[in-house]
């Protein structure tokens, strides 16, 4: 072949990305939708009817607790024996109890008492559980062993039974704060153990080891990196624990060692109406329904938040 023989060049054709079906693969989205644990959980919660039902009812309960006179302007202490055990009447939809007190007004005003005890107990348990669980899980060693053995001692004591014993000592000084302290002081071990287990998992993550390798103090690493990524189970447990605290207060009041009669609470109303269950059950049924719906709402809210904060549970749905 001569050197002057022309070289035939083959046409080189490159298909457009869209024609080859690779556009969706190779395209780079400039603005990615932000995503983290809490945003993903909120996107999941928005589409769940159980969350909205429980959430709306909880918000309604909080409003009733803050402004009970808007829903029941009748004084719950205004009792007249001539109305004893009377049935529903205009302005008195739930009737009267054996003392002639308006049952509807007492149920509404009892909401603030029950929620107050539940919130205070939840705060006490959360604070104690977070402090003890965080130190036990992050520092480990003898601190972990000591704190967990103390937790085992508290685990061995049924907190309702312990609260009964404590309240029996303070029969003359019973109020919302004393009842809350008696319930909450023995309820922290579960929160501490769950947080400790979560911290042990997060502590071995790469970003935590990188933070320590860069010379960041252990305390700062705990509050900056470990705690924010370990607190989700505590939030869920606190939501469910609030329902348990409300039930515990009603139990103590029902047994006569909780709030004194001058405090309007669902437990007190149930205890006062139990002797007349056969002849007039309605004064017992209405506060029982309010207690049951409140506890159920907080449990449902806690369950939905737990599922939303669990990536594995979201992946299975």
């Amino acid at each position: 072949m001569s050197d002057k023989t022309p070289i035939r060049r083959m046409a080189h054709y490159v298909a457009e990305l869209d024609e080859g079906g690779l556009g969706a693969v190779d395209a780079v989205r400039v603005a990615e939708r932000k995503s983290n644990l809490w945003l993903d959980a909120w996107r999941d919660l928005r589409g769940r009817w159980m969350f909205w039902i429980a959430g709306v009812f909880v918000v309604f309960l909080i409003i009733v607790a803050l402004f009970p006179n808007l829903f029941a302007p009748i004084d719950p202490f205004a009792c007249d024996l001539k109305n004893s055990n009377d049935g529903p009447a205009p302005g008195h939809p739930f009737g009267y109890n054996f003392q002639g007190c308006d049952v509807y007004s007492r149920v509404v005003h009892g909401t603030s008492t029950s929620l107050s005890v539940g919130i205070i107990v939840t705060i006490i348990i959360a604070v104690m559980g977070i402090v003890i669980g965080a130190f036990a899980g992050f520092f480990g060693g003898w601190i972990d062993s000591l704190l967990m053995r103390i937790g085992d001692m508290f685990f061995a004591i049924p907190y309702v039974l312990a609260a009964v014993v404590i309240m029996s000592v303070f029969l003359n000084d019973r109020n919302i704060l004393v009842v809350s302290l008696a319930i909450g002081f023995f309820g922290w071990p579960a929160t501490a153990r769950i947080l400790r287990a979560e911290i042990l998992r997060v502590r071995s993550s790469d970003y935590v080891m990188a933070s320590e390798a860069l010379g960041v103090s252990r305390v700062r690493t705990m509050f900056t990196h470990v705690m924010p990524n370990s607190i989700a189970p505590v939030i869920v447990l606190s939501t469910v624990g609030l329902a348990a605290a409300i039930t515990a207060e009603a139990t103590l009041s029902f047994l006569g060692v909780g709030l004194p009669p001058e405090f309007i609470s669902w437990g007190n109303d149930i205890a006062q109406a139990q002797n007349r269950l056969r002849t007039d059950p309605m004064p017992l049924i209405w506060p029982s329904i309010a207690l049951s719906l409140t506890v159920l709402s907080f449990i449902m809210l806690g369950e939905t938040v737990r599922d939303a904060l669990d990536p594995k549970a979201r992946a299975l749905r």
Side-chain angles (χ1 to χ4, degrees):
M1 180 182 294
S2 173
D3 294 339
K4 297 183 179 180
T5 303
I7 298 176
R8 181 176 298 175
R9 297 180 179 274
M10 299 297 295
H12 181 68
Y13 174 75
V14 179
E16 296 291 337
L17 289 177
D18 291 339
E19 295 180 15
L22 300 176
V25 178
D26 293 342
V28 177
R29 289 181 297 180
V30 178
E32 288 283 350
R33 186 174 66 169
K34 293 183 178 180
S35 178
N36 57 45
L37 177 64
W38 301 102
L39 287 177
D40 291 342
W42 170 242
R43 295 186 185 110
D44 181 78
L45 288 173
R46 287 186 303 182
R48 307 191 63 180
W49 61 269
M50 187 181 296
F51 167 75
W52 288 110
I53 292 177
V56 169
F57 191 77
V58 167
V59 172
F60 173 72
L61 286 174
I62 294 174
I63 295 174
V64 172
L66 292 176
F67 310 102
N69 290 326
L70 293 178
F71 300 88
I74 299 176
D75 186 0
F77 293 102
C79 305
D80 191 344
L81 288 177
K82 70 179 182 181
N83 297 323
S84 179
N85 293 330
D86 284 352
H92 309 276
F94 294 170
Y96 299 87
N97 63 10
F98 73 99
Q99 293 178 332
C101 305
D102 183 66
V103 175
Y104 171 74
S105 181
R106 292 185 65 86
V107 169
V108 171
H109 285 78
T111 306
S112 58
T113 303
S114 297
L115 286 187
S116 297
V117 172
I119 292 173
I120 295 174
V121 170
T122 302
I123 292 174
I124 294 172
I125 292 176
V127 171
M128 295 183 65
I130 288 173
V131 172
I132 295 174
F135 277 89
F138 191 79
F139 292 100
W142 67 270
I143 297 178
D144 183 17
S145 300
L146 176 62
L147 293 178
M148 288 301 99
R149 296 299 75 77
I150 295 175
D152 291 340
M153 294 171 56
F154 277 84
F155 254 129
I157 305 174
Y159 75 94
V160 174
L161 178 60
V164 170
V165 175
I166 293 176
M167 294 307 302
S168 299
V169 177
F170 293 95
L171 281 177
N172 297 325
D173 299 311
R174 292 178 294 168
N175 53 49
I176 291 177
L177 182 59
V178 172
V179 172
S180 301
L181 288 172
I183 298 173
F185 186 72
F186 292 90
W188 60 266
T191 301
R193 281 189 170 274
I194 289 177
L195 182 63
R196 170 184 175 270
E198 193 68 14
I199 287 179
L200 290 176
R201 182 188 66 82
V202 174
R203 194 178 64 177
S204 60
S205 302
D206 293 338
Y207 57 86
V208 176
M209 291 187 289
S211 176
E212 293 179 347
L214 291 173
V216 180
S217 65
R218 300 190 68 184
V219 175
R220 183 178 178 185
T221 299
M222 181 176 68
F223 286 103
T224 305
H225 300 291
V226 178
M227 287 297 296
N229 293 283
S230 306
I231 202 68
V234 176
I235 295 176
V236 176
L237 186 62
S238 297
T239 306
V240 179
L242 197 151
I246 293 174
T247 305
E249 179 275 321
T251 302
L252 294 178
S253 298
F254 180 80
L255 295 175
V257 293
L259 295 172
E262 56 265 24
F263 284 86
I264 299 177
S265 74
W266 296 330
N268 280 337
D269 287 350
I270 294 173
Q272 294 171 5
Q274 63 172 328
N275 295 327
R276 295 169 175 79
L277 179 60
R278 291 186 178 181
T279 58
D280 187 22
M282 300 313 295
L284 183 144
I285 291 176
W286 289 118
S288 300
I289 291 176
L291 176 64
S292 300
L293 290 178
T294 301
V295 172
L296 180 62
S297 298
F298 280 105
I299 292 176
M300 289 173 56
L301 186 62
E303 291 289 331
T304 53
V305 173
R306 182 198 63 184
D307 293 342
L309 290 173
D310 187 359
K312 295 181 180 179
R314 291 200 303 267
L316 293 176
R317 289 197 301 270

